[in-house]
Structure formats: structure tokens, C-alpha cells
Amino acid sequence: MKKILVLPGDGIGPEIVAEAVKVLERLQADGLDVELEHGLVGGSAYDAKGHPLPEETLVQARAADAILLGAVGGPQYETLERPLRPEQGLLGLRSELELFSNLRPAILYPQLAEASTLKPEVVSGLDIMIVRELTGGIYFGKPRGVRTLDNGEQEGFNTLVYRESEIERIGRSAFEIAQKRGRRLCSVDKANVLEVTELWRQVMLRIAKEYADVELTHMYVDNAAMQLVRAPKQFDVVVTSNMFGDILSDAAAMLTGSIGMLPSASLDADGKGMYEPIHGSAPDIAGQGVANPLATILSVAMMLRYSFGQSEPADRIESAVGRVLDQGLRTPDIAAEGQATVGTVQMGDAVVAALA
Ligand code: IPM
Ligand code: MG
């Protein structure tokens, strides 16, 4: 029996997670051996417990085999001091559980080709996997802060730091994923300017010898940003540092025209993972019942595949999503102009029905 911790979070989080839970419950009824437990994270945890990552949530998270997270954050929390902001709930889970390998696929569903702002021929058939380092780099590097200089001026500072072992483990993670896909890996760095990413490049080159079946290339991050919007299909797997990956994965997601469709996985060394949609808490549409639950539902498929080694039910979920798109069901974010739309619950129900 696998334990799943469900953390709905803030904004549209509870609405979209409820639909993903329906999908899990349907699979449970068909024999999937999982047990669900709910917990608090982000702004809703702050409201209830005074902290975005309460101790009891951390205890639940450590005991779980996988975590399904909705989204965190909202405008009402932006004035809180930094350690109490919802985002710290997410960053805390990543770092406490050592979820260092963040997989962010960008797949263009053929049914949604018109949703991209890029020309159809540039994006049709797009299937990229961005592997983002998630527990190191400038997000966590010390020293960090804002200090006052002798002349009274303030100075802000953060530290971009990577140890060889950190680079090596994310590199291995990416090479292994490339082996299961198109066997091409592009490592993105800024080795022409930053020493730390020069080391990154050296480590990638060193471990590449152990993965002779994968073709390794290197690209500077500015060029990678340009190539992603110019000719994205040149990429198979991209591996990069925490902050570059944050930026490039948003760009890659937008190539598909529908950030509401994209799941993600954050894995530790043993394959335990946290699964969440790539999009955020969308406070502007929270509570309206119009958010797209498909990215969260597809996150469940990733969970089954990557943490539980169950590709059959994962395929079932992904086919069901394909089927509802074929049926023409669209939440507002993926609807073409003038096309009729459905709400969050209708979309979730349609996926459950299509699982049959
Ligand atoms: C993401 C988000 C987070 C990040 C925020 C919410 C802290 O942008 O998951 O990409 O910067 O990692
Ligand atoms: Mg981001």
C-alpha cells in the first residue's frame, strides 16, 4: 500500500486537486493500492497554523511515498515577512525532502496546436523534458540578504553555488531520462561568464563518458532561451541549474500554449516525489470553478509512473485526457476563440468517465 499525501494549497489548488483525487479514487476502485491523506501547505497552512510548512505537514510528507500538491501563493500573503510566505512551504518541502531532480515536460497536444502563439510548424509534435536542479544554486546559496554599506546605501546579495556532487546527481538523473527518450541531452550553463557553471560543464562532460549512448551538447542560457522560441524541436532533454530551469521551463511551457496542461515531478534519489502542475495558484480565477484540472490530473500519471513504477494506470490517465480533448472539451485557458467551454468539475468528471 502506497501512501499519498495530498496538499491542495492555495488559490485554485483545492479545486484542481479535488478533480485529481477523483481520478485517484476511480483507480482505487479498480484496484490501485494507494491510501490518501490530506495536509496543509502554503498560505492556507499559514492561516490555519501560522506557518506555510507546519511541522505536522513535514512529518506527513516524510512518511508519504509521494505527494500531490496543488499550488501555493496569493496576493494577501505578499506583505508577510519572507520566511512566512507561501512559497517557503514549497521551497521547504523541496529542500527538506531533498527533491533535487525536477522534471518539467513540455508536450504539445495535437488537439491544442492552435493554442500556441508560435506557428504550428514550429511547435507541432513538440516533446521536451526540462530537468531542473531544484535544491541548490542561487535559490539556497549562502550568504544571502540585504546589508547596509558604510555609506548608508543598501546592497542585496545572493550566492550561486554548486558542489560537484550536486551537479553529478542532477546530471545522472538527466542522462538516465535521456536514455529512456531520444538520447539527446543539452546542458545549459553560462560557462563563458560564471565559474560555477564552468564546473557544471566539466562535471557533465566527465559523467557523459558513462552514458555513451546519449549525445551531450552544451548551450549558454541566453542562446538556449532564444533557441527555445526559435526552433524548440531541436531539444530532447535539457538539464540546467535551479534558476535557469525556473526561467526556461516557463518559456518551454508557453510554447505549448497551455500551461494549464503541464504536470511536473520533483524526485529524490530513491524516486520518492512531489507532483504538481507547473502553473501557479491563479488567484484571479480562484473559486470560480473555471481552472483547468488537467495538469494536476496528469501529475497523478507522472506519480504512478515515476514513484510507483505503474505505467499501466499512468497510460490510462494520459489516454483519458487525450480522449476528453478529442471530445472537444475545453476549459477557458485552452479554448479557441468562440469555442464553448466547460468548468473544472465537468472536466474532471469527463476524465473519470473516459478512464472506463
Ligand atoms: C516554480 C515556481 C517557484 C520557483 C516559486 C513559486 C517559488 O516559480 O516552481 O517554478 O521559483 O521555483
Ligand atoms: Mg517558476
Side-chain angles (χ1 to χ4, degrees):
M1 167 93 69
K2 301 278 190 192
K3 250 198 214 160
I4 302 173
L5 175 62
V6 179
L7 299 174
D10 311 324
I12 59 171
E15 297 163 60
I16 53 178
V17 164
E19 301 312 307
V21 166
K22 276 189 207 163
V23 168
L24 271 168
E25 285 169 348
R26 172 60 217 249
L27 295 172
Q28 258 178 330
D30 291 347
L32 183 73
D33 198 15
V34 295
E35 176 182 86
L36 308 187
E37 189 183 320
H38 280 71
L40 291 166
V41 74
S44 51
Y46 171 78
D47 291 337
K49 306 272 176 191
H51 198 278
L53 182 54
E55 184 55 33
E56 51 264 54
T57 302
L58 208 46
V59 170
Q60 287 176 305
R62 289 193 206 284
D65 296 296
I67 300 166
L68 179 67
L69 185 132
V72 298
Q76 69 271 44
Y77 306 112
E78 274 162 23
T79 50
L80 288 174
E81 51 175 318
R82 188 167 296 277
L84 294 178
R85 288 193 206 156
E87 291 75 14
Q88 296 303 315
L90 192 59
L91 296 172
L93 280 170
R94 288 173 181 172
S95 108
E96 289 291 331
L97 300 177
E98 280 203 73
L99 306 172
F100 68 89
S101 179
N102 183 212
L103 316 186
R104 298 193 163 190
I107 294 171
L108 186 91
Y109 285 81
Q111 299 94 329
L112 302 178
E114 346 70 62
S116 177
T117 48
L118 276 78
K119 294 192 194 108
E121 63 268 27
V122 175
V123 290
S124 73
L126 184 81
D127 182 355
I128 302 177
M129 179 70 90
I130 296 195
V131 181
R132 168 188 176 192
E133 199 292 323
L134 201 59
T135 52
I138 199 163
Y139 270 54
F140 295 95
K142 289 190 179 123
R144 64 190 298 157
V146 177
R147 61 192 161 212
T148 306
L149 302 176
D150 291 343
N151 69 1
E153 193 188 2
Q154 286 201 303
E155 181 181 67
F157 55 100
N158 287 90
T159 304
L160 175 50
V161 56
Y162 270 113
R163 277 175 281 125
E164 264 184 297
S165 53
E166 289 176 294
I167 304 169
E168 206 175 304
R169 67 179 182 178
I170 191 67
R172 288 187 191 285
S173 187
F175 272 107
E176 280 162 27
I177 286 161
Q179 281 180 322
K180 295 188 199 129
R181 294 179 38 111
R183 295 165 188 268
R184 287 183 298 117
L185 177 63
C186 179
S187 170
V188 171
D189 61 38
K190 189 70 189 176
N192 51 343
V193 178
L194 304 173
E195 288 84 351
V196 45
T197 78
E198 205 178 322
L199 177 68
W200 177 284
R201 189 177 284 219
Q202 283 165 14
V203 173
M204 289 294 161
L205 279 167
R206 189 175 75 218
I207 63 174
K209 297 190 187 104
E210 295 164 45
Y211 302 90
D213 53 339
V214 175
E215 179 203 11
L216 174 70
T217 55
H218 307 272
M219 209 179 264
Y220 297 141
V221 63
D222 49 348
N223 186 27
M226 185 173 80
Q227 295 300 332
L228 260 181
V229 292
R230 190 188 72 86
K233 284 190 271 182
Q234 69 184 282
F235 296 105
D236 174 22
V237 181
V238 172
V239 63
T240 192
S241 59
N242 204 342
M243 188 162 68
F244 294 166
D246 179 45
I247 299 165
L248 294 180
S249 63
D250 265 24
M254 215 47 223
L255 297 173
T256 71
S258 43
I259 197 161
M261 293 296 301
L262 300 175
S264 75
S266 306
L267 304 172
D268 76 0
D270 305 316
K272 170 167 170 169
M274 179 158 80
Y275 298 82
E276 57 182 309
I278 279 184
H279 60 72
S281 58
D284 53 320
I285 57 163
Q288 296 175 21
V290 296
N292 186 349
L294 294 179
T296 316
I297 290 172
L298 290 165
S299 298
V300 171
M302 281 191 100
M303 174 189 292
L304 296 174
R305 185 167 285 126
Y306 287 97
S307 283
F308 301 163
Q310 299 240 26
S311 53
E312 192 269 336
D315 290 343
R316 235 179 113 198
I317 294 175
E318 286 160 0
S319 319
V321 168
R323 228 167 291 140
V324 302
L325 293 177
D326 287 339
Q327 289 161 12
L329 270 77
R330 301 284 186 272
T331 44
D333 59 304
I334 51 172
E337 227 179 277
Q339 197 174 11
T341 61
V342 298
T344 311
V345 173
Q346 282 161 289
M347 187 59 112
D349 287 345
V351 174
V352 172
L355 279 172

